[in-house]
Amino acid sequence: MDNIYEKTYIKDKLIDLIKKEQGIYVDENENLFEIGLNSLTVMKIVAYWKKEGYNIKFSDLLKRPYIYEWAELLLHAERQEHKQVEKKVNMYEPFSMTDVQYAYWIGRGKEQFLGNIGCHGYFEVDTREINLQKLQKAWEILFEYHPMLRARFLESGKQVIMKSPYQKNIHVIDLSEKDEKEKERYLLKIRNERSHRLLKIEEGQVIALEISILGNNKYRLHFDIDLLVCDVQSFQIILRDIAAYYVNETLPPVKKEWNFASYLETQKGNRQVAEDMDKKFWSEKLDFISEAPKLPYIREYMLKQEVRFKRHQYEISLEKTEMLKNYAKEIGVTLATLILTIYGMVISKWSENKKFVINVPLFNRDSADDIDEVVADFTNLILVEMDFEKEKSFIEYAKEIQKQFQESIDHSNYSGIQILRDLKKTRDAFAGAPIVFSCNIGTPLISKDFKNAFGEITYMISQTPQVLIDFQLFTLDDGMLFVWDAVDAAFPDYMVTEMFNTLIDTINIVSDNDKWSNKVEVLPASQKTHRDAAVDFLEKDVPNKTLIEEIFSNALNNPQQVALIEAILDVR
């Protein structure tokens, strides 16, 4: 292919890929940070060109955030004949789990540290005028088009797709005849039971929908799912597809028998060389990888068999979101990196060790056919190193964290789960990576069609085994949502609330151009109160003398007075 023609082709393709992923047209000379480029888009672009045989890295693209530079980089990239060998596997026979699925599955065990819970999500929607027959049909369509919603997880540590779902009928609870007080009591009972329950995944129960009829044309939807079969994008797809069929009888835009088992086997074969290289990279760094933040845990709680999560959440406006984006552009980092840096700074204020790793899930679907329409768990985990031992400017911290983030993604063919396993073999008391940052910036969690059909989510909570604080970041139509799902009782009273409030205070300061400076001081509200009180005291009440000066002055003025009374003698 002629160089000029090939370069033009590459530039046009890059522009098309960004338009597809983020819905915007970009000029080849435009700084991609300034249009809000996110990490997920970059990962998908890297996956596309790798599939085409171009040897490029995630970090290569982030270092050169312009289409014309990307085209130049790809034009001169090392090329290889990339023949992806597709492997066919019968998904109706047992097949292996992913590393992340297996870790979640093991974590469900009662004997596990912070276990006896599933990787599970639960939410409620209060709505009106539900056509139960239409909703039932839409629910059945989900099982028909998304085989992983018919998955069963076996004692052998494998998974298998069933021909029929565990239960395809929506469970209806009629509360319409009960008084308001009794309704609230019953609804709270449902929430408490469903929000933290272990679904019967060994029998194929991986998703459930119940409807409470409240009377006066009011309903509440209770939805829960085990995240062994679902990542965040899958969650969005489920809600989109059920709304599309309910409203217009529009079928999901994916083949009915999309085969996750074949996908996993194909990826395993095609990634083996890259995985071996990344394994070597991490094995050479293993002795130098930091541990998780050493927060003041309450050990007695963490040994209990019942773990309960509590949600902390805060919304910021579209205006403040844009301010954060603008500042990220100015300093040359992504919005995700900016917020991850603030998160790390907050954690460091409570952590005994100032150098630690944060667990960051990646939702990378590569570039297989129809993959953006599939329900399954494509999650990978990376460990991002943070170092707050030396005082630096905020920009320096952010740049360093972005560098560490890029390095971890570049070598993510050997996953964070595998690294944690290796660390546990070499360190006696290694505690895993229970502090999580999950960035879901891009598409809002629920589509406009779902909102129009059913309404907004009114309550939501999630749990993950071996996790203490799970920071989830979501795009909203009118801003951004900050969520911590945390095991509050594993920490001293009110500590998590104060940590979360400190995060939000810092976010608000950074998003306010009038208050912003390069030096970010992350202080909990209680420390600010004590510091302000100390300043007031110093300014108003401290005399301009030392304590010893007053003693000597009294001795000179009153030499015959008692200076000290001792138990036996008067000392004069």
Side-chain angles (χ1 to χ4, degrees):
M1 188 183 291
D2 178 82
N3 271 8
I4 296 176
Y5 173 75
E6 184 179 7
K7 191 171 182 178
T8 301
Y9 165 77
I10 291 171
K11 285 193 288 190
D12 290 345
K13 189 63 185 177
L14 286 166
I15 290 169
D16 286 346
L17 288 169
I18 291 174
K19 186 177 180 182
K20 177 189 173 187
E21 294 301 327
Q22 297 199 213
I24 49 177
Y25 176 83
V26 295
D27 184 83
E28 65 175 272
N29 298 305
E30 192 170 10
N31 187 321
L32 298 174
F33 283 130
E34 293 181 2
I35 58 97
L37 181 75
N38 63 55
S39 300
L40 184 57
T41 297
V42 180
M43 284 189 283
K44 289 189 175 183
I45 289 171
V46 170
Y48 173 84
W49 291 106
K50 280 189 173 181
K51 187 177 180 182
E52 295 297 307
Y54 293 78
N55 188 12
I56 57 168
K57 293 181 179 179
F58 176 87
S59 59
D60 292 335
L61 299 190
L62 280 195
K63 289 172 186 174
R64 305 168 177 84
Y66 296 89
I67 293 293
Y68 76 89
E69 289 202 44
W70 287 6
E72 191 70 24
L73 182 70
L74 285 160
L75 188 65
H76 296 97
E78 182 182 332
R79 298 285 299 275
Q80 56 193 22
E81 189 64 30
H82 193 78
K83 292 184 178 179
Q84 195 168 49
V85 180
E86 187 174 352
K87 298 185 179 181
K88 297 288 186 182
V89 177
N90 184 357
M91 64 182 174
Y92 296 106
E93 296 291 335
F95 61 96
S96 297
M97 300 185 203
T98 67
D99 286 338
V100 173
Q101 282 182 305
Y102 191 80
Y104 291 163
W105 178 73
I106 288 290
R108 294 168 62 93
K110 291 182 180 180
E111 72 285 356
Q112 295 297 317
F113 169 72
L114 290 173
N116 199 31
I117 56 170
C119 191
H120 175 257
Y122 170 84
F123 76 87
E124 297 171 352
V125 176
D126 289 336
T127 187
R128 289 177 173 271
E129 298 183 5
I130 287 287
N131 183 319
L132 293 177
Q133 189 175 0
K134 284 176 66 176
L135 184 58
Q136 176 64 49
K137 181 58 179 174
W139 186 244
E140 292 173 15
I141 288 292
L142 286 180
F143 294 109
E144 189 176 335
Y145 277 81
H146 298 297
M148 283 303 292
L149 300 182
R150 309 193 305 269
R152 184 163 68 93
F153 292 83
L154 311 176
E155 288 185 4
S156 62
K158 295 198 170 186
Q159 57 192 322
V160 65
I161 304 302
M162 303 186 297
K163 295 288 186 182
S164 300
Y166 171 82
Q167 181 180 349
K168 68 178 182 179
N169 292 327
I170 297 171
H171 183 213
V172 178
I173 307 161
D174 191 351
L175 304 177
S176 59
E177 298 301 317
K178 298 184 182 296
D179 62 38
E180 291 303 312
K181 200 169 184 179
E182 186 69 7
K183 282 179 192 174
E184 287 303 314
R185 187 193 67 78
Y186 205 98
L187 290 170
L188 184 60
K189 182 173 182 286
I190 294 172
R191 178 181 293 176
N192 288 336
E193 290 176 354
R194 304 295 189 268
S195 65
H196 281 71
R197 70 171 165 173
L198 278 167
L199 292 169
K200 299 174 185 176
I201 61 170
E202 67 282 357
E203 298 177 24
Q205 185 191 32
V206 294
I207 188 171
L209 177 61
E210 296 177 302
I211 298 178
S212 293
I213 302 174
L214 306 179
N216 296 321
N217 217 14
K218 295 179 181 178
Y219 302 83
R220 176 169 291 180
L221 308 184
H222 311 268
F223 178 100
D224 66 322
I225 188 166
D226 197 296
L227 302 178
L228 281 167
V229 300
C230 172
D231 56 18
V232 173
Q233 187 171 336
S234 298
F235 187 79
Q236 294 166 331
I237 290 168
I238 289 170
L239 301 188
R240 179 203 69 188
D241 287 356
I242 196 170
Y245 193 86
Y246 178 81
V247 175
N248 297 314
E249 296 190 0
T250 302
L251 295 173
V254 66
K255 296 175 184 175
K256 284 186 181 182
E257 295 294 290
W258 201 96
N259 191 324
F260 190 52
S262 293
Y263 168 82
L264 293 180
E265 195 63 27
T266 299
Q267 293 299 311
K268 181 180 177 182
N270 291 323
R271 285 181 177 171
Q272 192 59 57
V273 173
E275 182 178 331
D276 291 343
M277 291 176 64
D278 288 351
K279 181 179 181 179
K280 182 175 183 296
F281 172 85
W282 289 112
S283 66
E284 291 171 355
K285 289 175 66 84
L286 206 61
D287 291 339
F288 308 102
I289 296 174
S290 300
E291 295 190 356
K294 294 179 181 176
L295 297 170
Y297 307 123
I298 297 175
R299 181 170 174 77
E300 293 78 8
Y301 180 86
M302 304 223 295
L303 296 175
K304 288 174 65 175
Q305 289 193 352
E306 183 180 11
V307 177
R308 302 288 294 187
F309 279 73
K310 178 181 176 182
R311 173 155 289 206
H312 307 257
Q313 66 180 48
Y314 184 86
E315 294 182 20
I316 65 171
S317 66
L318 197 56
E319 181 184 7
K320 286 203 169 187
T321 301
E322 289 304 313
M323 288 179 178
L324 288 174
K325 287 180 181 178
N326 289 336
Y327 186 70
K329 296 169 195 173
E330 286 177 23
I331 66 174
V333 299
T334 63
L335 178 59
T337 298
L338 181 78
I339 296 170
L340 176 58
T341 302
I342 296 171
Y343 182 43
M345 293 176 75
V346 171
I347 294 295
S348 73
K349 292 299 177 182
W350 275 267
S351 177
E352 179 185 335
N353 54 331
K354 306 303 178 184
K355 188 175 181 181
F356 47 75
V357 292
I358 296 290
N359 182 345
V360 179
L362 297 180
F363 307 107
N364 186 9
R365 294 186 168 227
D366 293 332
S367 55
D369 292 341
D370 289 339
I371 199 165
D372 285 331
E373 310 300 340
V374 172
V375 170
D377 183 23
F378 295 92
T379 309
N380 189 9
L381 299 180
I382 62 172
L383 304 178
V384 177
E385 189 96 21
M386 297 188 177
D387 186 354
F388 297 100
E389 289 183 339
K390 295 179 181 178
E391 187 171 341
K392 298 178 182 178
S393 71
F394 179 80
I395 295 175
E396 288 174 311
Y397 284 137
K399 293 276 191 182
E400 181 59 32
I401 288 170
Q402 178 149 291
K403 181 181 175 183
Q404 294 294 331
F405 178 68
Q406 292 170 3
E407 181 182 86
S408 294
I409 290 182
D410 283 345
H411 300 282
S412 60
N413 288 294
Y414 195 70
S415 72
I417 294 292
Q418 292 166 304
I419 297 167
L420 289 172
R421 288 174 187 156
D422 293 341
L423 286 168
K424 285 178 182 177
K425 292 174 186 175
T426 59
R427 302 184 190 179
D428 292 339
F430 188 74
I435 310 301
V436 177
F437 176 75
S438 179
C439 180
N440 308 294
I441 295 175
T443 307
L445 189 61
I446 59 175
S447 67
K448 289 181 180 178
D449 287 344
F450 185 90
K451 288 182 189 178
N452 291 337
F454 305 109
E456 296 273 7
I457 291 175
T458 51
Y459 176 85
M460 190 172 185
I461 190 75
S462 68
Q463 308 92 45
T464 308
Q466 283 85 60
V467 165
L468 287 165
I469 300 176
D470 185 1
F471 182 174
Q472 301 164 37
L473 187 61
F474 295 102
T475 295
L476 300 174
D477 291 331
D478 54 357
M480 202 154 47
L481 176 65
F482 295 77
V483 168
W484 281 17
D485 283 339
V487 188
D488 283 37
F491 302 94
D493 289 349
Y494 311 113
M495 179 182 134
V496 175
T497 298
E498 188 167 34
M499 290 174 74
F500 183 74
N501 290 341
T502 302
L503 174 93
I504 298 306
D505 289 345
T506 309
I507 290 289
N508 283 325
I509 290 170
V510 174
S511 66
D512 190 334
N513 290 333
D514 294 333
K515 295 179 181 177
W516 170 251
S517 68
N518 182 32
K519 185 174 176 60
V520 179
E521 189 171 44
V522 176
L523 276 180
S526 59
Q527 289 187 29
K528 287 178 183 176
T529 301
H530 293 317
R531 182 173 290 190
D532 291 343
V535 169
D536 289 343
F537 174 78
L538 287 170
E539 289 176 351
K540 298 172 185 177
D541 303 316
V542 178
N544 192 23
K545 292 181 181 180
T546 64
L547 291 174
I548 197 69
E549 284 180 289
E550 290 288 343
I551 293 173
F552 287 144
S553 177
N554 282 331
L556 287 171
N557 294 329
N558 305 285
Q560 301 307 312
Q561 293 295 321
V562 175
L564 178 68
I565 298 176
E566 203 265 340
I568 299 175
L569 302 171
D570 281 354
V571 180
R572 296 177 184 271

